Amino acid sequence: MSNSDFEAARLTVRLGAIAENYRICQRLAAPAEVTGVVKADAYGMGMEACARALAAAGCDTFFVARLEEGIALRPIVPGSRIFVLDGAQPDMVPALIEYRLTPALNSLAEIAAWSAAAREMRTALDAAIHIDTGMNRLGLPGNELATLAAEAGRRLDGLRVVLWMSHLACADDPADRMNVVQLDRFRTALAMLPPAPASLASSGGILLGKDYTFDMVRPGLGLYGGRPQSQRPNPFKTVAQLCGRILQIRRVDVGESAGYGATFRTGRPSTLATVALGYADGLMRALSNRGHGAIGGQRAPIAGRVSMDLITLDVTDIPPRAVELGAEVEFLGDTIALDELAAASGTAPYEILTSFKPRVRRHYVSGL
Ligand SMILES: *Cc1c(COP(=O)(O)O)cnc(C)c1O
């Protein structure tokens, strides 16, 4: 990275807001333990900084997707529990043990591999066991659950089950019947199995209420400021702010075009501002002629196509003194919420957060 103070674009990550969102989850889910889901580089916000902020807020249990993510997280939170959602394929077992990672076992075959490792080491190994209640993605399917319940003593030999978990498919919509279906299936499964702590809810599930929070909750999106359910106001604080700076401003006549393909045409004498952000920074091309940037809290529409490095705004209606060379334009943050950017981009907030590219430098601030 250069030593220059000038940065054309930056992603500011408010670590204080992540800590506050962790505490909000604690209030909503109490007395359940709140863990931190830091997979995918903490939803693009940077795993190391986010995990440290969460640990300082009292988080002592983390979830990652990949083994590699668990290995990277281990030195950052040396004493904490780290669950690996991908599970335990046989060739993952040695590294899981070496880095003291706890797999979320997804099948009888994975349970057998982990149990064999425990017997070989003549020690007990901790395990989470993921039960599929309707996602049909990861976790024990119904027939394997029945076998496990019938032969629990033998199948779980050498294992200490520290968590029974499942995952909701439709927690973003409290009216969806799938939520109660999965809750019922999870309760039925727990009643068949040896007692251990249980976890069903991610961010959306936390907002479904106390029936869903069990002993442990697994928020990701909410910690990073996302709105888990679109029908409700967002209880979480904004974490990410994406800004680019104005590189050029010009007055153009009626009937002029802007950008590749000349897809934008001025219907009046206009002022256009060219901003240093593009799809190579993670601002999606689908925003072409759809999204907005905000200057000093005022929205200006995107004029024409988003290109690799640049985006043009129609700033005709913004007071001229706010539109200065070098001024920062926000595309995500306090004015343009994550939801709004995701909707204009035609995707989910999860994909927006995990799309920011390395060219946009992350700035960590401790405040809210
Ligand atoms: C990603 C993930 C979470 C976190 O979900 P959010 O909707 O981001 O809160 C929780 N549990 C599992 C199994 C996941 O894959």
Side-chain angles (χ1 to χ4, degrees), residues 35-39 43 63-65 85 104 130 135 137-138 165-168 171-172 199-206 217-224 228 350:
T35 67
V37 179
V38 295
K39 63 190 181 186
Y43 290 45
F63 280 85
V64 294
L85 291 166
H130 187 157
M135 279 282 265
R137 196 177 64 164
L138 284 179
M165 61 166 282
S166 190
H167 193 48
L168 295 167
D172 57 337
S199 176
L200 180 62
S202 54
S203 303
I206 291 172
V217 295
R218 313 184 305 268
L221 186 70
L223 295 177
Y224 309 106
Y350 299 85

Side-chain angles (χ1 to χ4, degrees), residues 157-195:
D157 186 28
L159 303 188
R160 201 161 35 219
V161 179
V162 296
L163 188 68
W164 300 110
M165 61 166 282
S166 190
H167 193 48
L168 295 167
C170 304
D172 57 337
D173 180 3
D176 200 305
R177 253 185 47 77
M178 187 71 175
N179 294 316
V180 265
V181 169
Q182 289 191 268
L183 178 62
D184 277 356
R185 287 180 186 160
F186 191 51
R187 283 181 171 151
T188 304
L190 293 177
M192 295 158 62
L193 295 163

